[in-house]
Structure formats: structure tokens, C-alpha cells
Amino acid sequence: KQRRLLIIFFLGYCSWVPVSGFGALWGVSFLQQTLHTNTINASHLCDIFWLGLGLGSIAIGVFSEYIKSHKLSMMLCFSLGLLSSLSLLFNNHLNFYISAVCLFILGCSAGAQALSFSLLKTQVSPVFFSAMSGLNNMSAIIGGACSQIIIGYLIHLFSHQHSSLVSIRHALLFI
């Protein structure tokens, strides 16, 4: 049972990395350089990521209840997150609309963090659910904080060898 809790906390940790690493910190800079656009347009694209997160958190919960499988829903979220991240990072023919779709999907996939609470509820008794929810939320926040530090370090490390766009791509691959 303890192993399952650790896995759930780890899923919460991993699901919040794109939110903190891309949505909150490096997304605008990356989109500016990738799409050769200004800060305002890049910020509007990041808004689409946040919209995806909000709608995706609700939609993945409804979908998970409909198919009666939190595990399958989590795997779907992580798979879509991986595909959209790789598309954003390594597609050299990105335009505004393809980027918007990828960012929306990435935001939706980060909604898996909400599912970690549903998984948690199935694993602990109601007496301990509040405390375990706090730990789960803390693991997500720690995941976000650590990702910002690690991505910043990787950008610094790669910037000595490559252009800034390449260094951001290498660092965001961490997400």
C-alpha cells in the first residue's frame, strides 16, 4: 500500500512539471524564439496552455469516471503530454495554429494531476485522506519547483555549446 502511495505522489510530481516548467516559466521565451514572434503573441499562446489545463482537468475527470479507469486515463494523459511536448520541441515547421493545438493538448495532459487525488482516495481511508491530499499537493509543487531549477541549469549548461533556442529545447526535453 505504501508503494502505491509513493507512485501516486510521483505521478502528481511529474504531472505538474509542464505547468511550472513550461506554462509558468520558459514557455513564452521558447515560443518567442521558435515562432519568431513578440512577447504578446507568445503570451497569448501560453494562455491556450492554461485554458487546456483548466478544461483538461475537468474533462479527464469526467472521462476517467466514464471509462471507470483512472490508470488508463493517467496513461493517456502522459502519452498525450509526451507527444505534444515532442511536437513542440522538435518540429521545425511550427506555426501559430499547430503550436496552439500542441499547447492545448499539453495543458489538458497536465490535468492528470487532478486524477492523482482520485487515485489517492481509492488507496487511503477517509481518516487519512486530508493529510495524504496535502502530501500529494506538496509533491506536485515540489515537482514544479525542482523542474524550474533543473531546466534553468540545463539551459545554462547547453547555452555554452549551442544557440539559446537549442539550449532551451534541450532543457525543456526534461519536461
Side-chain angles (χ1 to χ4, degrees):
K1 195 159 190 144
Q2 184 180 359
R3 184 175 183 270
R4 287 183 183 167
L5 289 177
L6 292 175
I7 290 171
I8 292 169
F9 293 154
F10 183 71
L11 291 172
Y13 175 96
C14 291
S15 64
W16 208 247
V17 169
V19 175
S20 183
F22 191 88
L25 193 60
W26 295 106
V28 173
S29 299
F30 173 75
L31 293 169
Q32 256 184 291
Q33 291 185 20
T34 304
L35 300 175
H36 308 289
T37 189
N38 60 32
T39 306
I40 294 170
N41 289 336
S43 297
H44 288 312
L45 271 176
C46 277
D47 289 344
I48 294 170
F49 169 83
W50 290 102
L51 180 65
L53 177 64
L55 295 176
S57 295
I58 297 167
I60 196 64
V62 170
F63 176 74
S64 180
E65 290 297 318
Y66 179 75
I67 65 167
K68 306 278 189 249
S69 176
H70 298 307
K71 182 179 177 182
L72 182 60
S73 299
M74 281 286 230
M75 290 184 342
L76 177 67
C77 283
F78 283 114
S79 298
L80 288 174
L82 179 66
L83 287 173
S84 60
S85 295
L86 292 175
S87 296
L88 282 168
L89 292 174
F90 296 109
N91 185 349
N92 293 326
H93 304 291
L94 277 180
N95 62 37
F96 192 85
Y97 300 107
I98 293 171
S99 298
V101 169
C102 289
L103 286 167
F104 185 80
I105 293 170
L106 183 61
C108 286
S109 70
Q113 204 272 336
L115 275 183
S116 65
F117 291 99
S118 295
L119 286 169
L120 193 63
K121 192 171 184 178
T122 64
Q123 297 298 313
V124 298
S125 70
V127 174
F128 296 110
F129 181 69
S130 295
M132 292 297 112
S133 291
L135 288 173
N136 186 43
N137 201 45
M138 183 183 71
S139 71
I141 299 304
I142 289 172
C146 290
S147 71
Q148 289 183 356
I149 295 166
I150 292 168
I151 292 169
Y153 175 75
L154 291 173
I155 289 172
H156 174 73
L157 184 70
F158 290 125
S159 66
H160 296 296
Q161 303 164 358
H162 304 287
S163 70
S164 59
L165 177 59
V166 173
S167 63
I168 291 175
R169 277 188 172 151
H170 282 117
L172 289 178
L173 184 58
F174 168 74
I175 292 177

